[in-house]
C-alpha cells in the first residue's frame, strides 16, 4: 500500500514538525513495515507554470512531427516553445517548464535553439514531472483547473512523501488511507478524523426503482448496496486532485467512473465496481457460477468458470467475477449515461478462491481476501455516488440493498492477560486506553472480565491473544523485558544425530568436502543411472521449479555428480565430495487424505492416518571420489582413487558406528557391475561402494574410474551398549596359509570359510597377499591366522588341528587347495 | 693374591681400551675383548668357587668392584660416542623437513552443517532437545495445524512445492514448523526443542534466495511462558551467533501460527538486519495439538540458516552456499 503523507495528514493530526522518517519509524514500531519512503518533487525546481495553448504551428520538414507552440503563461507577452508531442489542442492547459527549471532526473531547462527556432521553455510530460511513468504525450490538465501562470508545482501537489508499506494479511483495513492514518494517529497519540464520519447518507436513502440486487448465496456475501445514477456525463473528467492521489498511490487514472471507484477504495478500503446500468438485464444476483460455463472479464480474457466461482450476475448471465474483476459486457464506456455502483462485503474465502482459480490478484480481491469493514458498503457507495454527482453531473436514481453487515462477535477478556502473556508490566488502565485507541468498545463486566467489542474494520480480533497483540504493539514491543525461561534438562543429541555428526566429521577428516545439493532430478538422469526397483519409484512434483528436474531424488549419486561437474568446470581435478541427506521413494501406497479441521485435536486415528500418509525418508550418506587420492609430489607419483577407497570409506562409516558387516559382490546401479561391493549388516544390505559404471562416468564427463559409495544410515542398527569381554593374556600362535582358488571366488568367501572352520580358538584372520600370476584362472590368497586360548598356552597339535580344519572348510566351501610351498 | 693383581691389570687394560675406542664399533670390540668368556674377570669369577669360604667374600667384593668400574666406563664411553655419532652421522641423514607432507586433500564440512551443529550445541546447553521431521510432509502438518487454512492469504505467501498425486496432500515442507506440530502431538509439555532442517519454497535461485534452504525454529511450551522469555532467549541466541555486542529488536508482525507475532531484527555491523520471526504460539495451534491452553503457553521463533550465515560471514551471494564449490566450503574447515 502506497500512502501519500499529504493524504495521511488529512485524517491524522500529526504536528508539522514530525518528519517523514519519524512517521516511517512509528509505522514500523506499530507493525507496519515501511519498504520505502519516496520523496516526490525533491529533484524538481521551478519555475513550472500552467500555460494555455494560444497557437500551434505544425513544422513538417523534420522526420517526426514538431510543433511550434505559442503559450500564455500569465506573462505580459506569449512565450513560444518547440514541442515534439501532438496530444494537445488549442485552448488546452499544459505545464510549462520555464528556463531555469529543473525536471525529474536533474534535467535543466534553458532557452535553446532547436529545429531552427528559439524554444523558450518546455511543455512537460507526466514522467518529466515525476508524476508517473506516462510519457506517450505531454500532460494535458483538466479544463479551467487553473489560470495561466499558476504555479504547477503547487497545483499538482508534486512535493509530497509517499510511504510504500507492506500490509500483513491480517490487516485488510490498512489497505486504505483511512486505516494507515488511523495507525499513524495512534502511534503519535494525536487526533484522528475518520473520513467515514464526513460521509452524508441522507441524500442516498434506500429506494426502489433502480437496479435491484439479491444475495442468492449468503455464504458469498453478507451485505451489498447498489446505487443507481442517471444523467452521468461520460465526457466528464476526473478532477486533478483525484488523479494525483491515485497516481501517488501507484494506480493509473483511467476515466472518471473508474477513478472515483479507485479513489474511494484507496480512501476507505472498500472496493467498488461501476456497471453500465443500461447493460444490466433485470436485477443483480450474487450467486455461484454453477453451470455457467464461461465469461469474459474486462481485461478481454475468456474465463472458464468453476461451479464454485462467485459471480455478480443478471437475468442473462455473469456481469462480474465478484470482488475480483468486472465483465466486458457491462463495462462503463464512452457512451455510458447511467451507472450502477456496487459495494459489497464479499466473503474473504469466496474471493480468495475466485482470485486463486483465475490467477487474478487485483486491488479489489486483495482487499476482499483480507476482509473489508462490513459497515463500509453503505458509506463507500454513497461517497462514490456523491463524487460522481459532483463531477459528472449525475443524479441519484435509487439505492437498493440486500443483507446486513455481519460483525465479529465480542471477545471476553481478562485485562491482566496482557501482562501475563507479554511479561511486561501493563496496568488495566493502559490496556483499556490502548484497546480504545484502536477502536474497541469495552464493557467492564467485572475486574477480570471485560467484554470487548472490536471495531467493524477489525475482523481479525477474535480472541484474547489478538487483543494482547494490539496492546503490546501500542505500548511498543520495546517495553517487554528480556528474561530467560526455566532451564530444563536437555536430552542432548539422539543416537542418530550423534552418529550423523560423527560420520560427517569422519568423512571431512578423510579429505571429503561436504556438499548440499538440490534433491531434484530429471527423468533422463534416472535413465542414465539405470535405477531399478524402489529407486526407480520417484515422487514427481506437481509444480516443479524446472521442467528439467521434476523428480525427487531417490539416491544421492546424481547430486554428487552434478556438484563434481561444477567443480571440474571451475578447474578442480582431484577431489572427493560427500553429502548427507534424505532420499524419497514412492514405495508405499499413498492414501488420499482429508485434512481435518483444527478446532480441537483430531482423533488419534486421524493423526495416525496423516502420519502414515507421509512416506519414510531414509537418510543416506554418499561420497564421490574423483581423480587422485594422493598428490603427485616429491615422494613419487600421485595415487589415483580406486574402488577400494570407496569400499574403505563405506566400511569406515560402519566401523565408526561400531558395527560388523559382511561384504559381497553386487551389480547395483550406477556402479560398475564387476566392481561394486555390497555391505551387509545383520544380513541386510546397508551400503554400496566401488567404481562407477563406465557408461555413467562417460555420460557426465567424470575422470575414468571415478568411484562412489552410499551408506543408508537409517538402515543401520541402533547403537548398543558394548559388553566388555575378558582380554586373553596367553601367548598367541600364528599360522600362515596360502590357498589356491578360482579367480572368480571372492576373497571374503574364502575368509568366511576359514573363519568358520578354524573354530573358537581363532582370534583374528587377515589376508596378507593375493597373487594372480599363477595362471589357469587361479589366484593364491595368503592369510595369517592368529590363535589364542583364554586359559592356556596352545600346543602345536591343537593349532595344527584348527589350521587343518580351516583349510578343509575352505576346500568344501570354495574348492580351495593349500598351496605347496 | 695374584688374582687381585691380575684384576687390577685387567681393569687398567680395559679402561685404557675403552677410553681409546674412537667409535661405537671399536668400543664394542673392546667390550668383547675385555669382558668376554676368556677375560681375566670371567676366569676370576669362575675361580671364586674354588676359594676357601673366608676368602670367597672378600674376593667376591673385589671382583664386583672391578666389574662395576669397567661397566661404568663402558656406559660413559657409549654415551660420549653416541653423542658424537648423533652429531655427525644423524646430521648426514638430514632431510628437507619443509617438503609438503600432506599427500591427501583437505576435507571440510558444509558451513550450514557447522552452523547447525553450533546452534544445536548452544540450545542443548540451554536445556533443549533437537527435534526433526520429514522434508516431504503432510500438508495438514505444514499448513492447517499451523492455523493456515486453505484459503488464507498466508498460504499464498509461500509458494509451495506439491508432489503427485495431489490428493495424497504431500508438500515439500515450506518451513520446519511441522516439526513443532509433530513434537506437540507426540509429547506433553513442558516442551523445549529446536527444529533445524531443510525447507523448500518455489523461489528462483538468486543472490539472496534459494528454493532449497535451511531453517532453525525453537518451540517452548510450559507453564507461565511469556513474550519476555521469547525476547530473552532471542537476545542470548543472537549474542551467540553474532557476538556479545549485538542487540535485538522485536517489531509487531503477523504469522498465522503466533499471536502476538514479531519480526526479529539484529543490529549488526552498524545496521538493523531482518533475522527471523517469532511470537507466542497461537492458542488455535496449541488446541489443534491438544495442548491445554488454560495451563500452558508457549513461544516459537525461526530464522534462516543461510541468512544467518550470510550476515555473520559476509557472504554476498547465495550461489556460493548452494553450488558446492569446494573452494568455498574448504575455507570453513570443520568449524574450529
Amino acid at each position: 500500500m502506497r500512502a501519500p503523507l499529504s493524504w495521511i495528514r488529512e485524517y491524522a493530526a500529526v504536528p508539522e514538525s514530525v518528519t517523514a522518517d519519524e512517521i516511517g519509524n512509528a509505522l514500523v514500531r506499530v507493525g507496519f513495515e515501511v519498504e520505502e519512503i519516496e520523496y516526490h518533487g525533491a529533484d524538481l525546481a521551478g519555475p513550472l507554470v500552467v500555460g494555455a495553448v494560444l497557437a500551434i504551428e505544425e513544422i513538417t520538414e523534420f522526420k517526426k512531427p514538431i510543433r511550434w507552440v505559442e503559450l500564455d503563461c500569465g506573462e505580459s507577452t506569449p512565450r513560444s516553445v518547440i514541442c515534439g508531442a501532438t496530444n494537445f489542442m488549442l485552448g488546452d492547459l499544459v505545464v510549462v517548464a520555464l528556463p531555469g527549471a529543473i525536471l525529474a532526473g536533474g534535467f535543466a531547462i534553458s532557452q535553446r535553439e532547436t529545429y531552427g527556432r528559439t524554444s523558450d521553455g518546455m511543455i512537460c510530460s507526466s514522467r518529466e514531472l515525476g508524476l508517473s511513468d506516462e510519457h506517450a504525450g505531454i500532460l494535458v490538465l483538466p479544463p479551467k483547473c487553473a489560470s495561466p501562470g499558476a504555479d504547477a508545482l503547487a497545483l499538482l501537489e508534486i512535493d509530497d512523501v509517499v510511504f510504500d508499506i507492506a500490509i500483513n494479511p491480517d490487516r485488510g483495513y490498512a489497505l486504505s488511507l483511512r486505516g494507515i492514518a488511523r495507525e499513524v494517529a495512534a502511534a503519535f497519540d494525536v487526533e484522528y478524523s475518520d473520513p467515514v464520519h464526513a460521509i452524508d447518507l441522507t441524500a442516498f436513502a434506500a429506494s426502489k426503482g433502480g437496479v435491484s440486487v439479491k444475495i442468492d448465496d449468503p455464504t458469498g456475501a453478507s451485505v451489498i448496496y447498489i446505487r443507481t445514477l442517471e444523467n452521468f456525463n461520460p465526457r466528464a473528467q476526473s478532477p486533478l486532485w483525484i488523479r494525483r492521489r491515485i497516481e501517488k498511490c501507484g494506480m493509473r487514472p483511467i476515466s472518471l467512473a473508474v477513478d472515483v471507484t479507485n479513489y474511494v477504495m484507496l480512501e476507505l478500503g472498500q472496493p467498488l465496481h461501476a456497471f453500465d446500468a443500461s447493460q444490466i438485464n433485470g436485477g443483480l444476483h450474487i450467486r455461484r457460477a454453477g453451470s455457467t460455463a464461461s465469461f469474459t472479464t474486462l481485461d478481454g480474457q475468456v474465463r472458464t468458470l468453476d461451479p464454485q466461482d462467485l459471480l455478480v450476475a443478471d437475468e442473462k448471465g455473469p456481469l462480474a467475477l465478484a470482488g475480483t474483476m468486472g465483465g466486458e459486457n457491462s463495462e462503463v464506456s464512452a457512451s455510458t449515461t447511467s451507472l450502477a455502483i456496487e459495494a459489497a462485503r464479499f466473503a474473504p474465502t469466496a474471493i480468495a478462491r475466485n482470485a486463486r482459480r483465475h490467477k487474478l490478484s487485483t486491488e479489489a480481491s486483495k482487499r476482499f481476501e483480507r476482509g473489508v469493514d462490513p459497515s463500509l458498503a453503505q458509506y463507500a457507495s454513497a461517497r462514490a455516488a456523491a463524487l460522481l454527482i459532483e463531477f459528472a453531473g449525475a443524479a441519484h436514481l435509487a439505492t437498493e440493498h440486500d443483507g446486513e453487515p455481519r460483525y465479529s462477535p465480542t471477545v471476553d477478556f481478562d485485562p491482566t492477560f496482557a501482562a501475563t502473556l507479554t511479561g511486561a508490566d501493563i496496568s488495566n488502565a493502559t490496556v483499556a486506553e490502548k484497546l480504545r485507541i484502536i477502536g474497541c468498545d469495552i464493557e467492564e463486566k467485572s475486574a477480570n472480565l471485560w467484554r470487548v467489542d472490536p471495531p467493524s474494520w477489525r475482523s481479525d480480533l477474535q480472541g484474547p491473544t489478538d487483543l494482547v497483540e494490539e496492546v503490546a504493539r501500542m505500548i511498543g514491543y520495546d517495553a517487554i523485558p528480556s528474561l530467560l525461561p526455566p532451564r530444563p534438562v536437555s536430552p542432548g543429541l539422539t543416537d542418530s544425530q550423534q552418529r550423523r555428526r560423527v560420520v560427517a566429521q569422519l568423512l571431512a577428516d578423510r579429505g571429503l568436502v561436504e556438499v548440499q545439493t538440490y534433491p531434484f532430478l530429471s527423468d533422463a538422469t534416472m535413465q542414465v543411472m539405470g535405477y531399478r526397483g524402489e529407486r526407480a519409484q520417484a515422487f514427481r512434483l506437481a509444480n516443479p521449479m524446472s521442467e528439467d528436474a521434476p523428480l525427487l531424488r531417490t539416491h544421492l549419486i546424481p547430486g554428487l555428480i552434478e556438484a563434481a561437474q561444477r567443480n571440474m568446470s571451475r578447474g578442480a581435478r582431484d577431489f572427493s565430495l560427500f553429502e548427507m541427506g534424505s532420499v524419497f521413494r514412492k514405495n508405499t501406497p499413498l492414501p488420499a487424505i482429508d485434512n481435518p479441521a483444527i478446532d480441537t485435536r483430531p482423533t488419534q486415528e486421524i493423526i495416525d492416518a496423516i502420519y502414515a500418509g507421509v512416506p519414510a525418508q531414509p537418510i543416506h550418506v554418499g561420497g564421490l571420489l574423483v581423480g587422485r587420492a594422493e598428490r603427485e609430489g616429491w615422494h613419487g607419483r600421485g595415487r589415483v582413487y580406486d574402488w577400494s577407497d570407496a569400499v574403505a570409506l563405506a566400511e569406515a562409516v560402519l566401523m565408526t558406528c561400531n558395527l560388523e558387516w559382511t561384504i559381497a559382490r553386487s551389480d547395483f546401479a550406477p556402479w560398475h557391475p564387476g566392481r561394486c561391493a555390497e555391505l551387509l549388516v545383520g544380513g541386510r544390505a546397508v551400503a554400496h561402494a566401488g567404481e562407477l559404471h563406465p557408461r555413467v562416468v562417460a555420460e557426465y564427463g567424470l575422470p575414468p574410474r571415478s568411484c562412489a559409495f552410499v551408506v543408508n544410515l537409517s538402515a543401520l542398527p541402533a547403537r548398543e551398549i558394548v559388553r566388555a569381554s575378558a582380554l586373553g593374556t596367553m601367548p598367541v600362535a600364528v599360522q600362515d596359509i596360502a590357498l589356491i582358488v578360482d579367480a572368480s571366488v571372492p576373497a571374503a568367501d574364502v575368509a568366511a570359510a576359514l573363519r568358520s572352520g578354524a573354530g573358537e580358538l581363532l582370534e583374528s584372520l587377515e589376508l596378507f597377499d593375493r597373487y594372480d600370476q599363477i595362471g589357469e584362472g587361479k589366484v593364491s590368497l595368503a592369510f595369517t591366522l592368529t590363535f589364542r586360548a583364554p586359559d592356556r598356552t596352545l600346543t602345536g597339535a591343537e593349532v595344527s588341528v584348527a589350521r587343518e580344519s580351516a583349510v578343509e572348510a575352505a576346500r568344501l566351501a570354495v574348492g580351495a587347495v593349500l598351496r605347496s610351498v | 693374591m695374584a688374582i687381585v693383581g691380575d684384576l687390577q691389570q685387567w681393569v687398567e687394560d680395559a679402561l685404557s681400551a675403552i677410553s681409546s675406542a674412537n667409535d661405537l664399533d671399536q668400543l664394542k670390540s673392546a667390550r668383547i675383548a675385555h669382558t668376554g668368556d676368556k677375560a681375566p674377570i670371567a676366569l676370576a669369577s669362575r675361580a671364586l668357587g674354588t676359594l676357601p669360604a673366608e676368602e670367597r667374600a672378600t674376593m667376591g667384593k673385589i671382583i664386583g668392584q672391578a666389574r662395576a668400574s669397567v661397566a661404568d666406563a663402558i656406559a660413559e664411553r657409549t654415551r660420549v660416542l653416541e653423542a658424537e655419532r648423533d652429531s655427525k652421522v644423524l646430521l648426514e641423514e638430514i632431510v628437507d623437513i619443509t617438503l609438503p607432507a600432506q599427500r591427501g586433500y583437505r576435507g571440510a564440512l558444509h558451513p550450514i552443517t557447522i552452523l547447525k551443529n553450533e546452534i544445536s550445541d548452544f540450545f542443548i546447553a540451554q536445556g533443549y532437545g533437537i527435534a526433526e521431521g520429514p522434508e516431504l510432509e503432510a500438508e495438514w502438518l505444514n499448513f492447517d495445524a499451523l492455523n493456515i487454512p486453505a484459503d488464507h492469504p498466508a498460504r499464498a505467501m509461500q509458494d509451495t512445492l506439491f508432489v503427485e498425486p495431489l490428493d495424497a496432500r504431500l508438500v515439500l515442507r515450506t518451513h520446519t514448523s511441522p516439526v513443532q506440530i509433530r513434537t506437540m502431538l507426540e509429547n506433553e509439555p513442558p516442551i523445549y526443542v529446536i527444529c533445524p532442517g531443510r525447507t523448500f519454497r518455489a523461489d528462483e535461485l538468486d543472490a539472496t534466495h534459494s528454493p532449497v534452504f535451511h531453517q532453525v525454529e525453537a518451540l517452548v511450551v510450559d507453564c507461565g511462558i511469556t513474550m519476555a522469555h521469547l525476547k530473552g532467549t532471542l537476545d542470548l541466541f543472537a549474542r551467540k551467533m553474532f557476538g556479545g555486542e549485538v542487540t535485538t529488536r522485536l517489531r509487531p508482525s503477523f504469522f498465522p501460527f503466533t499471536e502476538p507475532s514479531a519480526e526479529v531484527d539484529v543490529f549488526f555491523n552498524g545496521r538493523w538486519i531482518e533475522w527471523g520471526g517469532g511470537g507466542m504460539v497461537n492458542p488455535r495451534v496449541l488446541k489443534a495439538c491438544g495442548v491445554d491452553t488454560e495451563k500452558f503457553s508457549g513461544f516459537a521463533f525461526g530464522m534462516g540458516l543461510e541468512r544467518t550465515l550470510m550476515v555473520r560471514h559476509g557472504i554476498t551471494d547465495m550461489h556460493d552456499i548452494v553450488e558446492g564449490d569446494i573452494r568455498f566450503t574448504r575455507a570453513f574447515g570443520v568449524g574450529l
Side-chain angles (χ1 to χ4, degrees):
Chain A
M1 175 74 197
R2 293 160 55 88
L5 181 54
S6 59
W7 202 349
I8 292 173
R9 285 188 186 277
E10 196 172 311
Y11 310 136
V14 185
E16 287 297 329
S17 59
V18 175
T19 65
D21 270 348
E22 287 167 339
I23 292 175
N25 289 338
L27 281 167
V28 169
R29 210 165 50 240
V30 295
F32 291 86
E33 196 172 324
V34 177
E35 295 188 324
E36 201 181 347
I37 301 180
E38 299 169 5
Y39 293 87
H40 287 209
D43 55 351
L44 293 187
L48 283 159
V49 299
V50 175
V53 179
L54 300 176
I56 299 172
E57 182 190 334
E58 306 283 354
I59 303 176
T60 53
E61 66 218 65
F62 300 102
K63 273 185 204 157
K64 56 176 190 167
I66 297 295
R67 284 176 164 190
W68 175 239
V69 187
E70 194 175 287
L71 296 161
D72 173 4
C73 293
E75 296 159 308
S76 52
T77 54
R79 187 179 278 269
S80 291
V81 303
I82 286 286
C83 182
T86 56
N87 66 323
F88 58 97
M89 299 184 299
L90 280 181
D92 277 351
L93 295 179
V94 296
V95 176
V96 186
L98 303 185
I102 295 170
L103 298 184
F107 178 30
I109 302 301
S110 57
Q111 196 182 63
R112 63 190 184 115
E113 300 296 320
T114 180
Y115 296 105
R117 316 282 171 110
T118 302
S119 184
D120 208 5
M122 192 179 98
I123 307 178
C124 303
S125 70
S126 281
R127 187 160 75 175
E128 284 153 350
L129 293 168
L131 306 183
S132 71
D133 285 338
E134 190 58 56
H135 64 288
I138 55 102
L139 172 65
V140 179
L141 299 170
K144 301 189 194 99
C145 69
S147 316
D151 178 9
L153 279 171
L155 179 72
L156 294 167
E157 297 181 46
I158 290 176
D159 284 323
D160 205 345
V161 176
V162 175
F163 298 95
D164 190 358
I165 305 165
I167 305 295
N168 285 323
D170 61 334
R171 296 190 184 275
Y173 71 95
L175 288 169
S176 69
L177 266 297
R178 180 197 190 208
I180 297 286
R182 186 189 303 281
E183 293 295 333
V184 172
F188 288 96
D189 199 13
V190 296
E191 198 183 329
Y192 169 70
S193 326
D194 189 336
V196 168
H197 295 163
I199 298 170
D200 183 3
L201 292 175
T202 51
F204 303 104
S207 53
K208 293 285 169 191
V211 174
S212 67
V213 64
K214 176 105 181 45
I215 298 173
D216 292 352
D217 180 356
T219 65
S222 54
V223 61
I224 184 163
Y225 274 76
I226 302 290
R227 301 196 190 271
T228 309
L229 305 180
E230 55 184 1
N231 295 335
F232 173 77
N233 173 9
R235 280 175 302 281
Q237 290 191 27
S238 302
L240 205 49
W241 59 272
I242 285 190
R243 287 164 52 173
R244 289 294 298 127
R245 285 192 164 177
I246 288 174
E247 277 175 349
K248 286 179 189 174
C249 291
M251 297 179 78
R252 274 180 44 188
I254 292 165
S255 67
L256 178 62
V258 175
D259 291 352
V260 163
T261 56
N262 282 337
Y263 178 81
V264 175
M265 175 180 73
L266 293 169
E267 180 183 52
L268 303 178
Q270 169 72 58
L272 300 162
H273 186 65
F275 297 94
D276 182 335
S278 70
Q279 301 301 313
I280 300 174
N281 300 284
L284 294 178
H285 293 265
I286 309 305
R287 64 166 176 89
R288 302 285 172 173
S291 59
T292 308
S294 72
F295 166 60
T296 306
T297 41
L298 52 75
D299 55 3
Q301 297 283 313
V302 179
R303 308 274 171 183
T304 304
L305 296 174
D306 182 276
Q308 281 302 308
D309 281 341
L310 191 70
L311 302 178
V312 181
D314 64 7
E315 311 296 340
K316 284 174 74 177
L319 298 179
L321 197 53
T324 312
M325 190 175 273
E328 211 171 49
N329 50 10
S330 57
E331 191 181 0
V332 175
S333 70
S335 58
T336 300
T337 57
S338 61
L339 296 176
I341 306 295
E342 166 223 285
R345 208 293 179 174
F346 291 118
T349 315
I351 305 309
R353 289 184 182 164
N354 271 6
R356 179 126 49 95
R357 278 193 288 260
H358 296 285
K359 297 192 169 60
L360 198 56
S361 176
T362 61
E363 293 292 329
S365 72
K366 270 195 287 184
R367 288 171 172 81
F368 282 122
E369 276 181 49
R370 288 162 171 78
V372 170
D373 180 347
S375 73
L376 277 178
Q378 188 180 12
Y379 287 94
S381 55
R383 170 72 166 146
L387 290 169
L388 290 167
I389 289 166
E390 183 180 350
F391 297 112
H396 177 231
L397 177 64
T399 290
E400 302 220 14
H401 71 96
D402 194 23
E404 291 297 331
R406 271 202 300 270
Y407 299 108
S408 305
T410 57
V411 178
D412 284 349
F413 183 59
D414 175 351
T416 62
F417 186 51
T420 308
L421 194 62
T422 59
D425 188 14
I426 310 172
S427 70
N428 287 5
T430 303
V431 172
E433 180 202 327
K434 299 306 180 193
L435 289 179
R436 288 196 172 108
I437 280 183
I438 63 143
C440 293
D441 291 327
I442 301 170
E443 186 192 344
E444 302 196 8
K445 308 285 263 188
S446 72
N448 286 339
L449 178 61
W450 292 1
R451 185 148 293 166
V452 178
D453 190 5
S456 57
W457 56 90
R458 293 301 302 271
S459 56
D460 61 308
L461 301 183
Q462 296 172 350
T465 49
D466 300 319
L467 300 180
V468 172
E469 180 175 83
E470 293 305 303
V471 174
R473 76 183 180 96
M474 283 300 151
I475 63 167
Y477 280 8
D478 292 348
I480 297 168
S482 176
L483 295 173
L484 285 176
R487 191 176 302 204
V489 174
S490 170
L493 293 177
T494 63
D495 288 348
S496 149
Q497 289 163 348
Q498 192 86 50
R499 263 189 186 170
R500 275 178 271 150
R501 201 185 264 204
V502 174
V503 165
Q505 189 72 54
L506 163 82
L507 295 174
D509 291 347
R510 297 282 175 105
L512 285 78
V513 177
E514 187 183 13
V515 294
Q516 294 181 340
T517 66
Y518 288 176
F520 307 125
L521 294 184
S522 69
D523 292 280
T525 302
M526 299 289 283
Q527 289 296 321
V528 174
M529 291 293 150
Y531 291 139
R532 294 190 305 273
E534 64 173 28
R535 290 183 306 151
Q537 310 286 308
F539 282 98
R540 188 171 293 273
L541 290 169
N543 53 338
M545 291 291 299
S546 155
E547 290 303 329
D548 296 339
L551 304 175
L552 291 186
R553 71 180 175 201
T554 58
H555 202 219
L556 292 179
I557 297 297
L560 286 163
I561 290 177
E562 201 185 320
Q565 284 180 307
R566 185 172 299 122
N567 277 289
M568 284 161 51
S569 76
R570 295 177 183 178
R573 278 186 319 168
D574 308 306
F575 59 93
S576 53
L577 306 176
F578 80 97
E579 176 164 20
M580 192 179 285
S582 304
V583 296
F584 310 86
R585 295 169 186 177
K586 208 166 163 181
N587 52 0
T588 49
L590 294 170
I593 300 279
D594 284 327
N595 288 337
I598 62 159
D599 304 324
T600 59
R601 180 185 163 114
T603 62
Q604 195 56 44
E605 198 182 342
I606 292 174
I607 292 171
D608 289 346
I610 290 171
Y611 271 50
V614 178
Q617 293 153 50
I619 297 173
H620 286 194
V621 62
L624 180 64
L625 316 176
V626 173
R628 292 191 181 88
E630 290 179 6
R631 296 167 213 263
E632 198 167 86
W634 58 270
H635 43 71
R637 302 284 296 170
R639 191 176 72 76
V640 174
Y641 277 120
D642 66 32
W643 58 268
S644 70
D645 291 297
V647 175
L649 285 165
E651 288 180 329
V653 171
L654 300 181
M655 228 184 292
T656 292
C657 297
N658 208 21
L659 297 168
E660 287 178 7
W661 65 92
T662 57
I663 195 158
R665 180 180 292 164
S666 169
D667 60 353
F668 207 61
W671 279 276
H672 185 311
R675 296 185 170 191
C676 175
E678 182 167 79
L679 282 70
L680 302 102
V681 173
R684 177 179 180 186
V686 297
H688 292 89
E691 192 178 304
L692 283 174
H693 198 292
R695 179 175 41 78
V696 172
V697 167
E699 177 75 25
Y700 295 107
L702 299 175
R705 308 219 176 274
S706 290
C707 297
F709 67 90
V710 170
V711 181
N712 179 357
L713 296 176
S714 299
L716 302 184
R719 187 172 84 107
E720 276 182 36
I721 301 296
V722 173
R723 306 299 308 176
S725 52
L727 300 180
T729 53
M730 292 295 157
V732 293
V734 177
Q735 293 281 307
D736 288 349
I737 300 174
L739 297 171
I740 293 171
V741 293
D742 283 346
S744 63
V745 173
D749 292 2
V750 183
L754 286 172
R755 200 172 269 124
S756 72
E760 287 187 352
L761 295 175
L762 182 73
E763 187 173 87
S764 66
L765 173 151
E766 257 178 62
L767 177 78
F768 71 87
D769 189 29
R770 181 176 190 275
Y771 183 67
D772 58 4
Q773 301 297 310
I774 53 177
E776 295 168 25
K778 304 279 185 185
V779 292
S780 163
L781 301 172
F783 296 88
T784 296
L785 284 70
T786 305
F787 295 94
R788 184 176 352 230
D791 53 351
R792 63 189 190 280
T793 301
L794 289 173
T795 65
E798 281 178 303
V799 174
S800 288
V801 169
R803 168 197 162 100
E804 273 151 32
S805 165
V807 171
E808 177 62 6
R811 187 184 70 78
L812 290 174
V814 295
V817 176
L818 199 60
R819 188 179 183 193
S820 47
V821 185
Chain B
M1 297 295 279
I3 290 175
V4 174
D6 285 353
L7 277 178
Q8 279 171 346
Q9 188 56 51
W10 169 73
V11 168
E12 278 168 26
D13 291 351
L15 292 181
S16 155
I18 288 164
S19 65
S20 61
N22 285 325
D23 59 34
L24 289 166
D25 285 341
Q26 285 179 18
L27 181 62
K28 188 181 175 191
S29 305
R31 179 170 58 78
I32 291 166
H34 292 277
T35 62
D37 283 351
K38 302 224 165 70
I41 189 80
L43 298 175
S45 294
R46 279 201 289 278
L48 207 53
T50 64
L51 293 178
E54 60 271 24
E55 282 182 35
R56 209 181 289 161
T58 319
M59 205 54 213
K61 200 174 169 186
I62 291 168
I63 290 171
Q65 284 168 345
R67 199 190 283 278
S69 67
V70 169
D72 286 351
I74 290 173
E76 171 58 19
R77 190 65 190 156
T78 301
R79 197 186 58 74
V80 169
L81 290 175
E82 275 180 354
E84 273 178 19
R85 179 205 60 189
D86 287 357
S87 66
K88 274 192 291 186
V89 181
L90 291 193
L91 274 182
E92 284 164 13
E93 294 179 6
I94 194 166
V95 295
D96 179 356
I97 202 71
T98 69
L99 285 171
Q102 289 297 330
R103 300 192 190 190
Y105 295 89
R106 180 179 176 190
L109 294 177
H110 195 280
I112 289 289
T113 300
I114 294 169
L115 185 65
K116 197 169 90 173
N117 291 346
E118 184 184 336
I119 292 171
S120 298
D121 289 345
F122 169 77
F123 277 102
I124 284 171
Q126 305 304 319
Y128 291 61
I130 314 298
E132 295 174 302
E135 295 172 355
L136 182 57
E137 181 60 289
E139 186 185 24
W140 190 81
L141 296 166
N142 190 74
F143 287 124
D144 301 60
L146 287 152
N147 192 34
I148 313 174
D151 296 299
H152 198 286
R155 199 121 151 184
M157 281 159 69
Q158 300 160 349
D159 290 337
T160 308
L161 294 166
F162 288 86
V163 300
E164 294 177 348
L166 287 174
D167 65 0
R169 299 195 174 277
L170 290 172
V171 300
L172 285 174
R173 65 181 181 193
T174 58
H175 43 197
T176 52
S177 310
V179 183
Q180 297 188 29
I181 300 298
R182 285 173 176 267
T183 303
M184 287 191 279
L185 288 172
E186 293 161 24
N187 301 277
E188 297 287 322
I191 289 169
Y192 289 77
V193 292
I194 62 161
C195 323
R198 190 157 66 154
T199 50
F200 304 82
R201 289 188 201 170
D203 286 329
E204 291 296 332
L205 174 64
D206 63 23
T208 53
H209 297 87
S210 166
V212 183
F213 60 107
H214 295 76
Q215 286 189 330
V216 61
E217 292 186 328
L219 170 71
V220 167
V221 182
D222 203 347
C223 296
I225 294 298
T226 71
M227 278 184 90
H229 295 136
L230 166 66
K231 220 171 168 179
T233 305
L234 282 167
D235 281 341
L236 199 64
F237 182 32
R239 288 200 290 273
K240 173 66 184 174
M241 287 293 102
F242 301 105
E245 304 305 312
V246 303
T247 51
T248 62
R249 172 175 82 176
L250 297 187
R251 281 185 286 126
S253 186
F254 169 78
F255 305 108
F257 30 90
T258 49
E259 189 78 31
S261 301
E263 295 282 348
V264 182
D265 297 343
V266 176
F267 195 76
F268 182 67
N269 281 349
R271 63 195 179 101
W272 284 106
I273 298 193
E274 287 184 28
W275 189 30
M280 302 304 290
V281 184
N282 192 319
R284 283 178 63 76
V285 175
L286 294 175
K287 281 179 190 148
C289 298
V291 174
D292 181 353
T293 54
E294 294 295 310
K295 211 166 146 191
F296 298 107
S297 56
F299 71 69
F301 63 79
M303 46 276 301
L305 293 187
E306 281 79 1
R307 174 147 187 84
T308 307
L309 203 66
M310 290 175 89
V311 169
R312 188 168 83 165
H313 298 271
I315 300 163
T316 53
D317 192 343
M318 179 70 80
H319 288 86
D320 291 341
I321 297 180
V322 305
E323 281 180 343
D325 191 313
I326 54 177
R327 296 167 299 170
F328 172 78
T329 305
R330 275 186 180 144
F332 292 86
V334 293
L336 298 178

